[in-house]
Amino acid sequence: MTANSVELSRSGGSVVTGTTTEGCDSAANHEVAVKASSFGLFNVLVIAIMLPASLSSVFSTTSMSYVFPIAQCDLNLTVDDKGLLNSVTYFGMLSSGFLSGFLTDTLGRKKLMIYAFIFDGFVVIMCAFSKSFTYLTIVKFFEGFIENGGFAAVIAYTSEFNSAKFRPFIPLFNGIFVNSGAVVLPLMAWIIFTDSINISTFGGFIVLRSWNLFILATAIPSLMAGFLYILLPESPKFLMTVGKNDEALKTFNKMYKCNNGSTKGEYPIKALVDEPKLQGNEKLGHVTSQRSNIQALKEGFRQIAAIFYRPNCINLIMVVIIQFGLLMGNNTLRLWLPQLFAAINDRSEVAKKEGFDLCRTLQTLIPNSTRSNGTCSVNYNNSEVYANNAICGAVAIVILLLSLPMVRLLGKKIVLCGSALGSGLCLIIIAYYGNHITVTLTLSSIHIGFNYVAFNTLLSSIVDLFPTTLRAMAVASAMAFGRFGSSVGNIIFPALLGIGCLYPFLTIGGIILVSAFLAMLLPDSDMKALK
């Protein structure tokens, strides 16, 4: 690829031709520079390292759903305790959302990812030594607090290594990786959970049962992601934004050599635009070239004001409301599915005689919420439960894979609206026609798959809608509000279940439909260069 073969693109409204941006001599902007480096092995490696990062996120939020049926006697859990434990990780994520995005946009993507994932791994290890509900709740809150920053940075970081042609697929790959975790987790539970493990040390001060070892195993992806990101360079887009063009050029050169080998000569771009000069206005915030960390923080506080200017403020309000509804729908049903399938498994003999009844099965999830001093038993024969959850994850992966060509064919906005609409309708249909285990499993799988397509397509739009100085902050804020929706959903689910089995599905399905209609108002962002 030569410098002149780079196709036309746009940079913030100025037309980019070849390697030049009008008004910027012969210097290339980010879109032109990343296209000139081509797509190849380097990009694949950056996307592949998203796998442990994505697994870390899904393990953090979902592991408790598999622990509940096994640990409920050890921890003396009520249904309200389970709802709180499902929610508390999201409350931690909510509390750190804006802060983590701010630090990522001011100090860099790489630093925050490394610290966040490594610290998260150690917090999960602490969680594995839980002996009480209170300790577990506190540690899960801090796990969510740390995890949120790493996830938001990963989406922005990986997207900035790719051109507008490939960027829409980055969040969708994240969705595929997350649902790989939804397949891996039940398999891990099937292998690890047993009644034969009871390790006691230090005179009973530390007691490890199979569910403790299960939580310990979920720390592996976080630690792996943290150490792998040490090997990768900082985002070239972030480096350009803070005026470190020499470092950005070195990164583009590495990408070019890794993607093309030595067969195509040297990287054709020799100079990059001075973005701090181009973006030195009140709407984007002033950025000083080669700034120190202290100076970055000071300028970062001034850049926050840019979020209150149009169109940033309007776009942010819309995406956080949409994300609230989508993640409420996704994570409420997804986190209660293991409990639902466990209840179905426990009632299997009754179902053979009387037939499957969704409402009766759901009622078994809401016993008297006072703690029982009577006999507590755990059913370890849950292979069918794990199989059903793995099926849901596998179906979601298939739906996400099918969505990849649809994004290119129809555009992000149509895919976002259509998949959100399908997700909401599936929940409403479950409420009325879920009295067959196959129907419930099928509709739950399709709902989760469609919801992940909508959620990750929205993330792709956020990356394109906001400038580099606000991008991670926008992603983190949207994720924080989405996780707030997850927290609310997991708290109201048992409450609505107590009123009637239809209400959880109708309420949450209706909220997703509202998100689908709001998504129609978002601006198109297909094939736009990063600002």
Side-chain angles (χ1 to χ4, degrees):
M1 178 184 294
T2 65
N4 293 327
S5 66
V6 182
E7 65 185 54
L8 295 177
S9 65
R10 292 189 177 272
S11 176
S14 60
V15 179
V16 179
T17 309
T19 62
T20 66
T21 304
E22 291 179 7
C24 297
D25 299 322
S26 59
N29 72 346
H30 170 266
E31 186 66 22
V32 171
V34 77
K35 283 183 180 179
S37 67
S38 69
F39 184 93
L41 178 60
F42 186 93
N43 305 79
V44 172
L45 290 174
V46 174
I47 293 172
I49 295 178
M50 284 180 66
L51 176 59
S54 300
L55 291 180
S56 168
S57 177
V58 71
F59 283 9
S60 174
T61 57
T62 313
S63 59
M64 285 296 101
S65 299
Y66 294 92
V67 170
F68 292 154
I70 307 301
Q72 59 186 352
C73 295
D74 293 334
L75 299 176
N76 196 20
L77 297 177
T78 68
V79 67
D80 294 329
D81 294 337
K82 295 173 183 178
L84 180 58
L85 278 171
N86 267 342
S87 301
V88 72
T89 305
Y90 292 112
F91 280 123
M93 293 174 170
L94 174 63
S95 63
S96 69
F98 193 81
L99 174 64
S100 60
F102 168 75
L103 293 176
T104 303
D105 283 331
T106 54
L107 301 180
R109 284 75 163 105
K110 180 179 176 180
K111 288 180 183 177
L112 191 126
M113 289 190 299
I114 293 170
Y115 291 132
F117 285 118
I118 292 177
F119 285 150
D120 180 65
F122 285 114
V123 171
V124 175
I125 292 172
M126 291 174 59
C127 185
F129 292 95
S130 301
K131 291 177 63 177
S132 70
F133 166 74
T134 303
Y135 174 87
L136 185 59
T137 302
I138 294 171
V139 177
K140 288 298 291 182
F141 174 85
F142 283 106
E143 183 184 348
F145 184 90
I146 296 169
E147 173 68 31
N148 187 63
F151 179 83
V154 165
I155 296 297
Y157 177 85
T158 310
S159 297
E160 289 167 357
F161 279 98
N162 291 275
S163 66
K165 181 179 180 181
F166 298 101
R167 269 197 305 276
F169 303 115
I170 301 304
L172 291 172
F173 275 115
N174 170 70
I176 292 170
F177 293 154
V178 165
N179 279 282
S180 298
V183 175
V184 171
L185 265 182
L187 295 179
M188 287 172 55
W190 180 62
I191 293 170
I192 296 174
F193 287 152
T194 175
D195 195 31
S196 61
I197 298 176
N198 191 2
I199 305 169
S200 179
T201 59
F202 300 106
F205 179 73
I206 296 177
V207 179
L208 296 178
R209 295 181 61 79
S210 60
W211 63 267
N212 299 99
L213 299 182
F214 174 79
I215 295 175
L216 195 62
T218 63
I220 295 173
S222 296
L223 296 173
M224 185 182 298
F227 288 112
L228 284 174
Y229 278 118
I230 294 175
L231 305 177
L232 292 178
E234 178 58 275
S235 156
K237 177 58 178 171
F238 177 80
L239 292 172
M240 290 177 66
T241 299
V242 297
K244 296 183 179 180
N245 284 2
D246 290 341
E247 292 182 40
L249 267 177
K250 289 179 182 178
T251 299
F252 284 127
N253 269 287
K254 288 180 183 177
M255 293 172 62
Y256 183 80
K257 289 178 181 178
C258 185
N259 291 337
N260 298 289
S262 57
T263 59
K264 293 193 176 183
E266 295 184 357
Y267 179 59
I269 306 298
K270 304 302 179 186
L272 301 171
V273 298
D274 190 345
E275 289 199 359
K277 288 184 178 178
L278 292 177
Q279 296 181 355
N281 61 71
E282 63 177 355
K283 290 191 177 183
L284 291 175
H286 176 71
V287 178
T288 303
S289 296
Q290 306 292 333
R291 62 187 182 178
S292 65
N293 286 341
I294 298 298
Q295 192 174 17
L297 289 172
K298 290 179 179 178
E299 292 179 356
F301 282 112
R302 290 196 294 267
Q303 289 164 13
I304 292 175
I307 208 75
F308 299 105
Y309 288 93
R310 291 182 177 235
N312 293 331
C313 63
I314 302 299
N315 290 338
L316 185 64
I317 290 170
M318 291 180 63
V319 297
V320 298
I321 294 174
I322 295 168
Q323 197 75 302
F324 178 91
L326 290 178
L327 282 190
M328 174 186 277
N330 185 305
N331 290 321
T332 301
L333 182 64
R334 184 174 62 85
L335 295 182
W336 281 92
L337 271 181
Q339 283 282 285
L340 174 59
F341 288 140
I344 292 171
N345 187 53
D346 292 341
R347 282 180 50 85
S348 58
E349 293 302 319
V350 176
K352 288 178 182 177
K353 298 176 182 178
E354 302 178 5
F356 175 73
D357 189 308
L358 180 63
C359 285
R360 289 184 183 178
T361 302
L362 289 171
Q363 290 302 313
T364 65
L365 299 178
I366 49 171
N368 191 321
S369 62
T370 58
R371 301 179 191 279
S372 173
N373 294 320
T375 303
C376 181
S377 60
V378 174
N379 181 9
Y380 285 92
N381 184 25
N382 287 318
S383 56
E384 189 172 342
V385 174
Y386 304 140
N388 287 338
N389 281 283
I391 289 170
C392 284
V395 170
I397 291 174
V398 172
I399 292 174
L400 281 158
L401 287 171
L402 293 175
S403 73
L404 294 175
M406 300 305 293
V407 170
R408 176 66 59 82
L409 182 65
L410 302 176
K412 288 178 286 191
K413 188 172 178 178
I414 294 177
V415 171
L416 168 58
C417 297
S419 55
L421 186 65
S423 173
L425 289 175
C426 281
L427 278 183
I428 293 173
I429 294 172
I430 288 176
Y432 291 103
Y433 301 99
N435 282 335
H436 193 284
I437 182 61
T438 305
V439 174
T440 301
L441 177 60
T442 301
L443 289 173
S444 298
S445 302
I446 295 173
H447 154 71
I448 291 172
F450 278 166
N451 198 288
Y452 267 114
V453 171
F455 157 61
N456 287 288
T457 306
L458 179 62
L459 285 182
S460 178
S461 297
I462 294 172
V463 168
D464 290 336
L465 289 173
F466 293 89
T468 304
T469 51
L470 300 173
R471 185 169 298 121
M473 200 184 306
V475 172
S477 298
M479 291 302 302
F481 273 85
R483 282 154 175 168
F484 177 61
S486 302
S487 302
V488 172
N490 278 282
I491 289 174
I492 68 172
F493 187 86
L496 291 171
L497 210 53
I499 301 173
C501 69
L502 297 181
Y503 293 102
F505 300 100
L506 295 179
T507 301
I508 297 172
I511 291 173
I512 297 175
L513 293 180
V514 172
S515 294
F517 287 113
L518 278 178
M520 297 178 184
L521 304 178
L522 285 175
D524 290 320
S525 59
D526 292 314
M527 295 304 293
K528 297 287 182 68
L530 292 180
K531 293 184 277 186

